Amino acid sequence: MSILNTHIGNLQFKNPVLLASGTCGIAAKELTPYFNLSDLGGIVTKSLGIKPWVGNPTPRVVEIPGCGLLNSIGLQNPGIEHFTKNELPFLKEQNANVIINVVGESLDEYIEVVNYTKNYSGFVALELNLSCPNVDGGLDFSQDPKKAYTLVNEIKKIATVPVLVKLSPNVTDITDIVKACVDAGSDGIVLINTVLGLAINKWTKKPTLPRAVGGYSGPAIKPIALRMIWQTYKKFPNVPIIGVGGIHNADDAIEFLLCGANCVQVGTANFINPKASIEIISGLKDYCEKTKLSSISEIIGQAHEKTLAGAIH
Ligand SMILES: Cc1cc2nc3c(=O)[nH]c(=O)nc-3n(C[C@H](O)[C@H](O)[C@H](O)COP(=O)(O)O)c2cc1C
């Protein structure tokens, strides 16, 4: 067993570093010149619907220098059929550990896409994207505990692999939504998707993105992600958490693990440094050696033990 092995329930990962949905093309083919996909803990695909989605009008991305990105892609994707026929065989050849991220415009669409995946092998889990800020109604399922419960409950009835649920930070109390997903049988919680944001163009005197509001990602959202993982771990210490939001190097990833995440996902960092994920894996190995850990999982949630009883939340 390797020092970096970790797990989410029965799902085993060779290391805790995964690629985040939508930040590495459809399924990371573009990153193969830089490293072997099988060296990662896993790859999460772009959100895939039952049919192709065209996405939002351009421009879709604004850089917020030093802080990250504001995007409004609108879940453009080629659909699950295209993915299973054209991308999944390549991922199998590469021995990649694949998690399929699925999305729908309604409960029925989520069910249809999950049912479709059941005809295929070569992936280990599903990630339900309940949390896209860039499509109309995209946040409904992750802002209303009843809707979240119904969706996760219906998907759990049909899914044949573990179901991870990716939630939005754009809520008052994340633990209400986490509770609904856990009660419905979710196998793990992915925290967080992008934070609602807006940029203004001083020359056009209008919002830079045609839909005005977009999803903010990158270094600036790391404290928000950590806070939500902190709150979730405190209330549900046995629920597996996958942390995502502003992770650019091994130090960031270590903070997420100490805070309570079992695994991490690397997103916006891939656009700046395509090798970020692989460098994080090697940084985690160094940390284990320097701090004489026999397994990286020893540090999961450790920050909670070292915090004063009176600390907030
Ligand atoms: C350009 C872009 C596209 C994204 N597309 C998706 C998507 O299709 N599905 C999804 O669940 N999350 C999507 N995300 C959210 C990321 O997976 C991640 O949750 C978020 O960006 C926070 O992590 P980061 O700060 O490391 O980027 C996207 C993010 C970006 C920047």
PDB file of all heavy atoms in Angstrom, residues 20-23 45-47 61 69 71 73 75-76 101 127-129 131-132 166 192-194 215-219 221 244-248 265-269 271, ligand 1:
ATOM      1  N   ALA A  20     -10.690  18.501 -11.384  1.00  0.00           N
ATOM      2  CA  ALA A  20     -12.064  18.985 -11.176  1.00  0.00           C
ATOM      3  C   ALA A  20     -12.810  19.097 -12.508  1.00  0.00           C
ATOM      4  O   ALA A  20     -12.231  19.430 -13.546  1.00  0.00           O
ATOM      5  CB  ALA A  20     -12.024  20.344 -10.496  1.00  0.00           C
ATOM      6  N   SER A  21     -14.104  18.835 -12.427  1.00  0.00           N
ATOM      7  CA  SER A  21     -14.957  18.879 -13.618  1.00  0.00           C
ATOM      8  C   SER A  21     -14.860  20.220 -14.349  1.00  0.00           C
ATOM      9  O   SER A  21     -14.876  21.283 -13.728  1.00  0.00           O
ATOM     10  CB  SER A  21     -16.401  18.645 -13.186  1.00  0.00           C
ATOM     11  OG  SER A  21     -17.258  18.721 -14.296  1.00  0.00           O
ATOM     12  N   GLY A  22     -14.757  20.143 -15.681  1.00  0.00           N
ATOM     13  CA  GLY A  22     -14.837  21.336 -16.521  1.00  0.00           C
ATOM     14  C   GLY A  22     -13.555  22.125 -16.635  1.00  0.00           C
ATOM     15  O   GLY A  22     -13.511  23.135 -17.336  1.00  0.00           O
ATOM     16  N   THR A  23     -12.494  21.649 -15.983  1.00  0.00           N
ATOM     17  CA  THR A  23     -11.250  22.428 -16.008  1.00  0.00           C
ATOM     18  C   THR A  23     -10.127  21.675 -16.727  1.00  0.00           C
ATOM     19  O   THR A  23      -8.967  22.071 -16.653  1.00  0.00           O
ATOM     20  CB  THR A  23     -10.790  22.774 -14.576  1.00  0.00           C
ATOM     21  OG1 THR A  23     -10.551  21.562 -13.874  1.00  0.00           O
ATOM     22  CG2 THR A  23     -11.839  23.584 -13.846  1.00  0.00           C
ATOM     23  N   THR A  45     -15.043  14.066 -15.177  1.00  0.00           N
ATOM     24  CA  THR A  45     -15.349  14.570 -16.526  1.00  0.00           C
ATOM     25  C   THR A  45     -16.057  15.913 -16.452  1.00  0.00           C
ATOM     26  O   THR A  45     -16.589  16.294 -15.407  1.00  0.00           O
ATOM     27  CB  THR A  45     -16.298  13.616 -17.273  1.00  0.00           C
ATOM     28  OG1 THR A  45     -17.595  13.681 -16.643  1.00  0.00           O
ATOM     29  CG2 THR A  45     -15.774  12.204 -17.303  1.00  0.00           C
ATOM     30  N   LYS A  46     -16.115  16.594 -17.566  1.00  0.00           N
ATOM     31  CA  LYS A  46     -17.004  17.754 -17.727  1.00  0.00           C
ATOM     32  C   LYS A  46     -18.422  17.288 -17.382  1.00  0.00           C
ATOM     33  O   LYS A  46     -18.757  16.119 -17.576  1.00  0.00           O
ATOM     34  CB  LYS A  46     -16.930  18.216 -19.191  1.00  0.00           C
ATOM     35  CG  LYS A  46     -17.875  19.345 -19.561  1.00  0.00           C
ATOM     36  CD  LYS A  46     -17.422  20.673 -18.994  1.00  0.00           C
ATOM     37  CE  LYS A  46     -18.500  21.754 -19.175  1.00  0.00           C
ATOM     38  NZ  LYS A  46     -18.212  22.957 -18.380  1.00  0.00           N
ATOM     39  N   SER A  47     -19.280  18.181 -16.893  1.00  0.00           N
ATOM     40  CA  SER A  47     -20.679  17.800 -16.667  1.00  0.00           C
ATOM     41  C   SER A  47     -21.298  17.363 -17.995  1.00  0.00           C
ATOM     42  O   SER A  47     -21.181  18.064 -19.003  1.00  0.00           O
ATOM     43  CB  SER A  47     -21.477  18.984 -16.131  1.00  0.00           C
ATOM     44  OG  SER A  47     -21.130  19.238 -14.800  1.00  0.00           O
ATOM     45  N   VAL A  61     -15.345  33.888 -20.245  1.00  0.00           N
ATOM     46  CA  VAL A  61     -14.357  33.839 -19.163  1.00  0.00           C
ATOM     47  C   VAL A  61     -13.747  35.218 -18.956  1.00  0.00           C
ATOM     48  O   VAL A  61     -13.451  35.914 -19.929  1.00  0.00           O
ATOM     49  CB  VAL A  61     -13.221  32.839 -19.508  1.00  0.00           C
ATOM     50  CG1 VAL A  61     -12.202  32.785 -18.383  1.00  0.00           C
ATOM     51  CG2 VAL A  61     -13.774  31.454 -19.746  1.00  0.00           C
ATOM     52  N   LEU A  69     -10.706  33.282 -11.738  1.00  0.00           N
ATOM     53  CA  LEU A  69     -11.478  33.384 -12.989  1.00  0.00           C
ATOM     54  C   LEU A  69     -12.949  33.528 -12.689  1.00  0.00           C
ATOM     55  O   LEU A  69     -13.454  32.929 -11.737  1.00  0.00           O
ATOM     56  CB  LEU A  69     -11.395  32.047 -13.737  1.00  0.00           C
ATOM     57  CG  LEU A  69     -10.286  31.698 -14.668  1.00  0.00           C
ATOM     58  CD1 LEU A  69     -10.624  30.357 -15.336  1.00  0.00           C
ATOM     59  CD2 LEU A  69     -10.101  32.775 -15.722  1.00  0.00           C
ATOM     60  N   ASN A  71     -16.306  32.589 -14.741  1.00  0.00           N
ATOM     61  CA  ASN A  71     -16.694  31.926 -15.989  1.00  0.00           C
ATOM     62  C   ASN A  71     -18.201  31.826 -16.104  1.00  0.00           C
ATOM     63  O   ASN A  71     -18.929  31.791 -15.116  1.00  0.00           O
ATOM     64  CB  ASN A  71     -16.018  30.550 -16.107  1.00  0.00           C
ATOM     65  CG  ASN A  71     -16.885  29.437 -15.543  1.00  0.00           C
ATOM     66  OD1 ASN A  71     -17.830  28.963 -16.202  1.00  0.00           O
ATOM     67  ND2 ASN A  71     -16.601  29.028 -14.313  1.00  0.00           N
ATOM     68  N   ILE A  73     -19.561  29.433 -18.721  1.00  0.00           N
ATOM     69  CA  ILE A  73     -19.524  28.493 -19.849  1.00  0.00           C
ATOM     70  C   ILE A  73     -20.953  28.022 -20.151  1.00  0.00           C
ATOM     71  O   ILE A  73     -21.315  27.825 -21.320  1.00  0.00           O
ATOM     72  CB  ILE A  73     -18.639  27.263 -19.521  1.00  0.00           C
ATOM     73  CG1 ILE A  73     -17.238  27.693 -19.048  1.00  0.00           C
ATOM     74  CG2 ILE A  73     -18.559  26.310 -20.713  1.00  0.00           C
ATOM     75  CD1 ILE A  73     -16.372  28.371 -20.049  1.00  0.00           C
ATOM     76  N   LEU A  75     -22.240  25.180 -19.107  1.00  0.00           N
ATOM     77  CA  LEU A  75     -22.267  23.711 -19.218  1.00  0.00           C
ATOM     78  C   LEU A  75     -22.283  23.195 -20.648  1.00  0.00           C
ATOM     79  O   LEU A  75     -22.910  22.173 -20.943  1.00  0.00           O
ATOM     80  CB  LEU A  75     -23.457  23.142 -18.434  1.00  0.00           C
ATOM     81  CG  LEU A  75     -23.343  23.270 -16.921  1.00  0.00           C
ATOM     82  CD1 LEU A  75     -24.577  22.708 -16.233  1.00  0.00           C
ATOM     83  CD2 LEU A  75     -22.106  22.566 -16.398  1.00  0.00           C
ATOM     84  N   GLN A  76     -21.615  23.930 -21.560  1.00  0.00           N
ATOM     85  CA  GLN A  76     -21.476  23.375 -22.916  1.00  0.00           C
ATOM     86  C   GLN A  76     -20.857  21.981 -22.789  1.00  0.00           C
ATOM     87  O   GLN A  76     -19.827  21.815 -22.129  1.00  0.00           O
ATOM     88  CB  GLN A  76     -20.564  24.253 -23.772  1.00  0.00           C
ATOM     89  CG  GLN A  76     -20.413  23.688 -25.167  1.00  0.00           C
ATOM     90  CD  GLN A  76     -19.411  24.458 -26.009  1.00  0.00           C
ATOM     91  OE1 GLN A  76     -18.784  25.403 -25.555  1.00  0.00           O
ATOM     92  NE2 GLN A  76     -19.258  24.045 -27.248  1.00  0.00           N
ATOM     93  N   ASN A 101     -19.232  13.135 -14.249  1.00  0.00           N
ATOM     94  CA  ASN A 101     -20.052  14.205 -13.676  1.00  0.00           C
ATOM     95  C   ASN A 101     -21.284  14.369 -14.566  1.00  0.00           C
ATOM     96  O   ASN A 101     -21.166  14.524 -15.779  1.00  0.00           O
ATOM     97  CB  ASN A 101     -19.219  15.491 -13.618  1.00  0.00           C
ATOM     98  CG  ASN A 101     -19.986  16.679 -13.057  1.00  0.00           C
ATOM     99  OD1 ASN A 101     -21.080  17.007 -13.505  1.00  0.00           O
ATOM    100  ND2 ASN A 101     -19.392  17.359 -12.089  1.00  0.00           N
ATOM    101  N   GLU A 127     -20.564  11.794 -10.230  1.00  0.00           N
ATOM    102  CA  GLU A 127     -20.618  13.032  -9.456  1.00  0.00           C
ATOM    103  C   GLU A 127     -21.822  13.802  -9.988  1.00  0.00           C
ATOM    104  O   GLU A 127     -21.877  14.116 -11.179  1.00  0.00           O
ATOM    105  CB  GLU A 127     -19.316  13.831  -9.653  1.00  0.00           C
ATOM    106  CG  GLU A 127     -19.262  15.121  -8.835  1.00  0.00           C
ATOM    107  CD  GLU A 127     -17.943  15.871  -9.020  1.00  0.00           C
ATOM    108  OE1 GLU A 127     -16.975  15.579  -8.286  1.00  0.00           O
ATOM    109  OE2 GLU A 127     -17.870  16.761  -9.902  1.00  0.00           O
ATOM    110  N   LEU A 128     -22.790  14.092  -9.132  1.00  0.00           N
ATOM    111  CA  LEU A 128     -23.967  14.842  -9.569  1.00  0.00           C
ATOM    112  C   LEU A 128     -23.667  16.324  -9.435  1.00  0.00           C
ATOM    113  O   LEU A 128     -23.389  16.793  -8.330  1.00  0.00           O
ATOM    114  CB  LEU A 128     -25.184  14.534  -8.691  1.00  0.00           C
ATOM    115  CG  LEU A 128     -25.675  13.098  -8.589  1.00  0.00           C
ATOM    116  CD1 LEU A 128     -26.935  13.059  -7.735  1.00  0.00           C
ATOM    117  CD2 LEU A 128     -25.947  12.532  -9.964  1.00  0.00           C
ATOM    118  N   ASN A 129     -23.720  17.043 -10.536  1.00  0.00           N
ATOM    119  CA  ASN A 129     -23.538  18.491 -10.463  1.00  0.00           C
ATOM    120  C   ASN A 129     -24.884  19.125 -10.147  1.00  0.00           C
ATOM    121  O   ASN A 129     -25.732  19.262 -11.008  1.00  0.00           O
ATOM    122  CB  ASN A 129     -22.971  19.028 -11.786  1.00  0.00           C
ATOM    123  CG  ASN A 129     -22.768  20.540 -11.740  1.00  0.00           C
ATOM    124  OD1 ASN A 129     -22.999  21.164 -10.709  1.00  0.00           O
ATOM    125  ND2 ASN A 129     -22.348  21.111 -12.849  1.00  0.00           N
ATOM    126  N   SER A 131     -25.038  22.109  -8.962  1.00  0.00           N
ATOM    127  CA  SER A 131     -24.622  23.429  -8.512  1.00  0.00           C
ATOM    128  C   SER A 131     -24.090  24.367  -9.572  1.00  0.00           C
ATOM    129  O   SER A 131     -23.227  25.178  -9.286  1.00  0.00           O
ATOM    130  CB  SER A 131     -23.543  23.223  -7.460  1.00  0.00           C
ATOM    131  OG  SER A 131     -22.580  22.279  -7.911  1.00  0.00           O
ATOM    132  N   CYS A 132     -24.602  24.296 -10.807  1.00  0.00           N
ATOM    133  CA  CYS A 132     -24.025  25.205 -11.801  1.00  0.00           C
ATOM    134  C   CYS A 132     -24.708  26.561 -11.752  1.00  0.00           C
ATOM    135  O   CYS A 132     -25.909  26.673 -11.939  1.00  0.00           O
ATOM    136  CB  CYS A 132     -24.123  24.652 -13.207  1.00  0.00           C
ATOM    137  SG  CYS A 132     -23.296  25.799 -14.328  1.00  0.00           S
ATOM    138  N   LYS A 166     -22.050  17.182  -5.806  1.00  0.00           N
ATOM    139  CA  LYS A 166     -21.270  18.429  -5.805  1.00  0.00           C
ATOM    140  C   LYS A 166     -22.193  19.612  -5.524  1.00  0.00           C
ATOM    141  O   LYS A 166     -23.155  19.860  -6.247  1.00  0.00           O
ATOM    142  CB  LYS A 166     -20.581  18.602  -7.153  1.00  0.00           C
ATOM    143  CG  LYS A 166     -19.697  19.824  -7.212  1.00  0.00           C
ATOM    144  CD  LYS A 166     -18.770  19.751  -8.381  1.00  0.00           C
ATOM    145  CE  LYS A 166     -17.861  20.953  -8.449  1.00  0.00           C
ATOM    146  NZ  LYS A 166     -17.052  20.912  -9.671  1.00  0.00           N
ATOM    147  N   ILE A 192     -16.261  22.817  -3.157  1.00  0.00           N
ATOM    148  CA  ILE A 192     -17.427  23.549  -3.596  1.00  0.00           C
ATOM    149  C   ILE A 192     -17.397  23.789  -5.114  1.00  0.00           C
ATOM    150  O   ILE A 192     -16.325  23.737  -5.723  1.00  0.00           O
ATOM    151  CB  ILE A 192     -17.495  24.946  -2.899  1.00  0.00           C
ATOM    152  CG1 ILE A 192     -16.239  25.749  -3.189  1.00  0.00           C
ATOM    153  CG2 ILE A 192     -17.772  24.838  -1.445  1.00  0.00           C
ATOM    154  CD1 ILE A 192     -16.196  27.173  -2.638  1.00  0.00           C
ATOM    155  N   ASN A 193     -18.546  24.098  -5.667  1.00  0.00           N
ATOM    156  CA  ASN A 193     -18.578  24.630  -7.030  1.00  0.00           C
ATOM    157  C   ASN A 193     -18.253  26.134  -6.949  1.00  0.00           C
ATOM    158  O   ASN A 193     -17.878  26.633  -5.890  1.00  0.00           O
ATOM    159  CB  ASN A 193     -19.962  24.372  -7.658  1.00  0.00           C
ATOM    160  CG  ASN A 193     -19.866  24.270  -9.175  1.00  0.00           C
ATOM    161  OD1 ASN A 193     -19.169  25.066  -9.820  1.00  0.00           O
ATOM    162  ND2 ASN A 193     -20.553  23.310  -9.756  1.00  0.00           N
ATOM    163  N   THR A 194     -18.409  26.843  -8.038  1.00  0.00           N
ATOM    164  CA  THR A 194     -17.976  28.249  -8.067  1.00  0.00           C
ATOM    165  C   THR A 194     -18.904  29.165  -7.260  1.00  0.00           C
ATOM    166  O   THR A 194     -20.067  28.850  -7.030  1.00  0.00           O
ATOM    167  CB  THR A 194     -17.918  28.744  -9.524  1.00  0.00           C
ATOM    168  OG1 THR A 194     -19.170  28.434 -10.152  1.00  0.00           O
ATOM    169  CG2 THR A 194     -16.797  28.081 -10.292  1.00  0.00           C
ATOM    170  N   GLY A 215     -19.487  32.362 -12.459  1.00  0.00           N
ATOM    171  CA  GLY A 215     -18.990  31.534 -11.351  1.00  0.00           C
ATOM    172  C   GLY A 215     -17.521  31.853 -11.106  1.00  0.00           C
ATOM    173  O   GLY A 215     -16.681  31.769 -12.008  1.00  0.00           O
ATOM    174  N   TYR A 216     -17.207  32.216  -9.877  1.00  0.00           N
ATOM    175  CA  TYR A 216     -15.857  32.653  -9.506  1.00  0.00           C
ATOM    176  C   TYR A 216     -15.076  31.451  -8.958  1.00  0.00           C
ATOM    177  O   TYR A 216     -15.588  30.706  -8.103  1.00  0.00           O
ATOM    178  CB  TYR A 216     -16.026  33.727  -8.436  1.00  0.00           C
ATOM    179  CG  TYR A 216     -14.817  34.554  -8.106  1.00  0.00           C
ATOM    180  CD1 TYR A 216     -13.760  34.704  -8.993  1.00  0.00           C
ATOM    181  CD2 TYR A 216     -14.752  35.233  -6.883  1.00  0.00           C
ATOM    182  CE1 TYR A 216     -12.677  35.495  -8.673  1.00  0.00           C
ATOM    183  CE2 TYR A 216     -13.665  36.028  -6.556  1.00  0.00           C
ATOM    184  CZ  TYR A 216     -12.632  36.149  -7.456  1.00  0.00           C
ATOM    185  OH  TYR A 216     -11.556  36.933  -7.133  1.00  0.00           O
ATOM    186  N   SER A 217     -13.853  31.281  -9.445  1.00  0.00           N
ATOM    187  CA  SER A 217     -13.024  30.143  -9.013  1.00  0.00           C
ATOM    188  C   SER A 217     -11.591  30.623  -8.838  1.00  0.00           C
ATOM    189  O   SER A 217     -11.262  31.741  -9.211  1.00  0.00           O
ATOM    190  CB  SER A 217     -13.072  29.040 -10.079  1.00  0.00           C
ATOM    191  OG  SER A 217     -12.509  29.530 -11.297  1.00  0.00           O
ATOM    192  N   GLY A 218     -10.731  29.767  -8.293  1.00  0.00           N
ATOM    193  CA  GLY A 218      -9.318  30.118  -8.159  1.00  0.00           C
ATOM    194  C   GLY A 218      -8.951  30.494  -6.732  1.00  0.00           C
ATOM    195  O   GLY A 218      -9.757  30.338  -5.807  1.00  0.00           O
ATOM    196  N   PRO A 219      -7.699  31.000  -6.528  1.00  0.00           N
ATOM    197  CA  PRO A 219      -7.167  31.210  -5.176  1.00  0.00           C
ATOM    198  C   PRO A 219      -8.099  31.983  -4.247  1.00  0.00           C
ATOM    199  O   PRO A 219      -8.161  31.683  -3.052  1.00  0.00           O
ATOM    200  CB  PRO A 219      -5.879  32.010  -5.419  1.00  0.00           C
ATOM    201  CG  PRO A 219      -5.495  31.709  -6.819  1.00  0.00           C
ATOM    202  CD  PRO A 219      -6.755  31.394  -7.582  1.00  0.00           C
ATOM    203  N   ILE A 221     -11.182  31.867  -3.728  1.00  0.00           N
ATOM    204  CA  ILE A 221     -12.306  31.153  -3.086  1.00  0.00           C
ATOM    205  C   ILE A 221     -11.841  30.069  -2.102  1.00  0.00           C
ATOM    206  O   ILE A 221     -12.659  29.412  -1.470  1.00  0.00           O
ATOM    207  CB  ILE A 221     -13.312  30.576  -4.117  1.00  0.00           C
ATOM    208  CG1 ILE A 221     -12.748  29.347  -4.849  1.00  0.00           C
ATOM    209  CG2 ILE A 221     -13.764  31.639  -5.105  1.00  0.00           C
ATOM    210  CD1 ILE A 221     -13.837  28.532  -5.560  1.00  0.00           C
ATOM    211  N   VAL A 244     -12.619  21.106  -3.044  1.00  0.00           N
ATOM    212  CA  VAL A 244     -12.211  21.774  -4.279  1.00  0.00           C
ATOM    213  C   VAL A 244     -12.482  23.267  -4.144  1.00  0.00           C
ATOM    214  O   VAL A 244     -13.495  23.659  -3.572  1.00  0.00           O
ATOM    215  CB  VAL A 244     -12.909  21.153  -5.521  1.00  0.00           C
ATOM    216  CG1 VAL A 244     -14.400  21.029  -5.334  1.00  0.00           C
ATOM    217  CG2 VAL A 244     -12.619  21.906  -6.805  1.00  0.00           C
ATOM    218  N   GLY A 245     -11.565  24.073  -4.667  1.00  0.00           N
ATOM    219  CA  GLY A 245     -11.731  25.522  -4.599  1.00  0.00           C
ATOM    220  C   GLY A 245     -10.394  26.187  -4.311  1.00  0.00           C
ATOM    221  O   GLY A 245      -9.955  26.223  -3.165  1.00  0.00           O
ATOM    222  N   GLY A 246      -9.729  26.645  -5.362  1.00  0.00           N
ATOM    223  CA  GLY A 246      -8.504  27.420  -5.181  1.00  0.00           C
ATOM    224  C   GLY A 246      -7.276  26.621  -4.825  1.00  0.00           C
ATOM    225  O   GLY A 246      -6.304  27.175  -4.300  1.00  0.00           O
ATOM    226  N   ILE A 247      -7.284  25.326  -5.117  1.00  0.00           N
ATOM    227  CA  ILE A 247      -6.091  24.516  -4.802  1.00  0.00           C
ATOM    228  C   ILE A 247      -5.088  24.639  -5.962  1.00  0.00           C
ATOM    229  O   ILE A 247      -5.379  24.219  -7.087  1.00  0.00           O
ATOM    230  CB  ILE A 247      -6.477  23.047  -4.552  1.00  0.00           C
ATOM    231  CG1 ILE A 247      -7.411  22.969  -3.340  1.00  0.00           C
ATOM    232  CG2 ILE A 247      -5.228  22.180  -4.353  1.00  0.00           C
ATOM    233  CD1 ILE A 247      -7.979  21.589  -3.071  1.00  0.00           C
ATOM    234  N   HIS A 248      -3.928  25.231  -5.661  1.00  0.00           N
ATOM    235  CA  HIS A 248      -2.914  25.440  -6.709  1.00  0.00           C
ATOM    236  C   HIS A 248      -1.600  24.732  -6.414  1.00  0.00           C
ATOM    237  O   HIS A 248      -0.748  24.614  -7.283  1.00  0.00           O
ATOM    238  CB  HIS A 248      -2.669  26.949  -6.913  1.00  0.00           C
ATOM    239  CG  HIS A 248      -3.759  27.603  -7.692  1.00  0.00           C
ATOM    240  ND1 HIS A 248      -3.554  28.209  -8.909  1.00  0.00           N
ATOM    241  CD2 HIS A 248      -5.083  27.691  -7.446  1.00  0.00           C
ATOM    242  CE1 HIS A 248      -4.703  28.665  -9.370  1.00  0.00           C
ATOM    243  NE2 HIS A 248      -5.656  28.365  -8.502  1.00  0.00           N
ATOM    244  N   GLN A 265      -9.749  18.136  -5.376  1.00  0.00           N
ATOM    245  CA  GLN A 265      -9.786  18.291  -6.835  1.00  0.00           C
ATOM    246  C   GLN A 265      -9.081  19.588  -7.210  1.00  0.00           C
ATOM    247  O   GLN A 265      -9.207  20.586  -6.501  1.00  0.00           O
ATOM    248  CB  GLN A 265     -11.236  18.342  -7.333  1.00  0.00           C
ATOM    249  CG  GLN A 265     -11.998  17.050  -7.120  1.00  0.00           C
ATOM    250  CD  GLN A 265     -13.436  17.139  -7.617  1.00  0.00           C
ATOM    251  OE1 GLN A 265     -13.891  18.167  -8.135  1.00  0.00           O
ATOM    252  NE2 GLN A 265     -14.167  16.043  -7.455  1.00  0.00           N
ATOM    253  N   VAL A 266      -8.382  19.528  -8.342  1.00  0.00           N
ATOM    254  CA  VAL A 266      -7.645  20.692  -8.832  1.00  0.00           C
ATOM    255  C   VAL A 266      -8.395  21.239 -10.044  1.00  0.00           C
ATOM    256  O   VAL A 266      -8.645  20.494 -11.002  1.00  0.00           O
ATOM    257  CB  VAL A 266      -6.204  20.273  -9.214  1.00  0.00           C
ATOM    258  CG1 VAL A 266      -5.419  21.468  -9.724  1.00  0.00           C
ATOM    259  CG2 VAL A 266      -5.516  19.633  -8.014  1.00  0.00           C
ATOM    260  N   GLY A 267      -8.747  22.521 -10.013  1.00  0.00           N
ATOM    261  CA  GLY A 267      -9.557  23.107 -11.078  1.00  0.00           C
ATOM    262  C   GLY A 267      -8.826  24.183 -11.851  1.00  0.00           C
ATOM    263  O   GLY A 267      -8.003  23.898 -12.733  1.00  0.00           O
ATOM    264  N   THR A 268      -9.071  25.441 -11.490  1.00  0.00           N
ATOM    265  CA  THR A 268      -8.522  26.590 -12.225  1.00  0.00           C
ATOM    266  C   THR A 268      -6.995  26.502 -12.377  1.00  0.00           C
ATOM    267  O   THR A 268      -6.443  26.965 -13.381  1.00  0.00           O
ATOM    268  CB  THR A 268      -8.930  27.895 -11.484  1.00  0.00           C
ATOM    269  OG1 THR A 268     -10.359  27.941 -11.471  1.00  0.00           O
ATOM    270  CG2 THR A 268      -8.406  29.131 -12.170  1.00  0.00           C
ATOM    271  N   ALA A 269      -6.321  25.896 -11.420  1.00  0.00           N
ATOM    272  CA  ALA A 269      -4.854  25.768 -11.493  1.00  0.00           C
ATOM    273  C   ALA A 269      -4.416  25.093 -12.788  1.00  0.00           C
ATOM    274  O   ALA A 269      -3.337  25.398 -13.324  1.00  0.00           O
ATOM    275  CB  ALA A 269      -4.340  24.982 -10.292  1.00  0.00           C
ATOM    276  N   PHE A 271      -5.383  25.580 -15.721  1.00  0.00           N
ATOM    277  CA  PHE A 271      -5.261  26.538 -16.831  1.00  0.00           C
ATOM    278  C   PHE A 271      -3.939  27.295 -16.765  1.00  0.00           C
ATOM    279  O   PHE A 271      -3.447  27.790 -17.770  1.00  0.00           O
ATOM    280  CB  PHE A 271      -6.408  27.568 -16.787  1.00  0.00           C
ATOM    281  CG  PHE A 271      -7.780  26.959 -16.967  1.00  0.00           C
ATOM    282  CD1 PHE A 271      -8.733  27.022 -15.963  1.00  0.00           C
ATOM    283  CD2 PHE A 271      -8.123  26.322 -18.147  1.00  0.00           C
ATOM    284  CE1 PHE A 271      -9.996  26.477 -16.124  1.00  0.00           C
ATOM    285  CE2 PHE A 271      -9.384  25.767 -18.318  1.00  0.00           C
ATOM    286  CZ  PHE A 271     -10.319  25.841 -17.319  1.00  0.00           C
TER     287      PHE A 271
HETATM  288  C1  LIG B   1     -14.097  27.080 -16.819  1.00  0.00           C
HETATM  289  C2  LIG B   1     -14.754  26.258 -15.746  1.00  0.00           C
HETATM  290  C3  LIG B   1     -15.684  25.284 -16.100  1.00  0.00           C
HETATM  291  C4  LIG B   1     -16.302  24.508 -15.116  1.00  0.00           C
HETATM  292  N1  LIG B   1     -17.194  23.547 -15.480  1.00  0.00           N
HETATM  293  C5  LIG B   1     -17.760  22.749 -14.529  1.00  0.00           C
HETATM  294  C6  LIG B   1     -18.644  21.703 -14.890  1.00  0.00           C
HETATM  295  O1  LIG B   1     -18.914  21.447 -16.064  1.00  0.00           O
HETATM  296  N2  LIG B   1     -19.187  20.959 -13.886  1.00  0.00           N
HETATM  297  C7  LIG B   1     -18.897  21.163 -12.558  1.00  0.00           C
HETATM  298  O2  LIG B   1     -19.401  20.431 -11.692  1.00  0.00           O
HETATM  299  N3  LIG B   1     -18.030  22.143 -12.195  1.00  0.00           N
HETATM  300  C8  LIG B   1     -17.474  22.929 -13.140  1.00  0.00           C
HETATM  301  N4  LIG B   1     -16.583  23.907 -12.771  1.00  0.00           N
HETATM  302  C9  LIG B   1     -16.278  24.112 -11.336  1.00  0.00           C
HETATM  303  C10 LIG B   1     -14.966  23.435 -10.931  1.00  0.00           C
HETATM  304  O3  LIG B   1     -15.013  22.041 -11.113  1.00  0.00           O
HETATM  305  C11 LIG B   1     -14.621  23.751  -9.467  1.00  0.00           C
HETATM  306  O4  LIG B   1     -15.634  23.253  -8.621  1.00  0.00           O
HETATM  307  C12 LIG B   1     -14.478  25.246  -9.203  1.00  0.00           C
HETATM  308  O5  LIG B   1     -13.853  25.886 -10.291  1.00  0.00           O
HETATM  309  C13 LIG B   1     -13.696  25.555  -7.927  1.00  0.00           C
HETATM  310  O6  LIG B   1     -12.398  24.993  -7.978  1.00  0.00           O
HETATM  311  P1  LIG B   1     -11.075  25.819  -8.460  1.00  0.00           P
HETATM  312  O7  LIG B   1     -11.061  27.103  -7.688  1.00  0.00           O
HETATM  313  O8  LIG B   1      -9.941  24.917  -8.167  1.00  0.00           O
HETATM  314  O9  LIG B   1     -11.252  26.057  -9.927  1.00  0.00           O
HETATM  315  C14 LIG B   1     -15.972  24.699 -13.749  1.00  0.00           C
HETATM  316  C15 LIG B   1     -15.018  25.680 -13.406  1.00  0.00           C
HETATM  317  C16 LIG B   1     -14.407  26.447 -14.379  1.00  0.00           C
HETATM  318  C17 LIG B   1     -13.382  27.479 -13.971  1.00  0.00           C
END
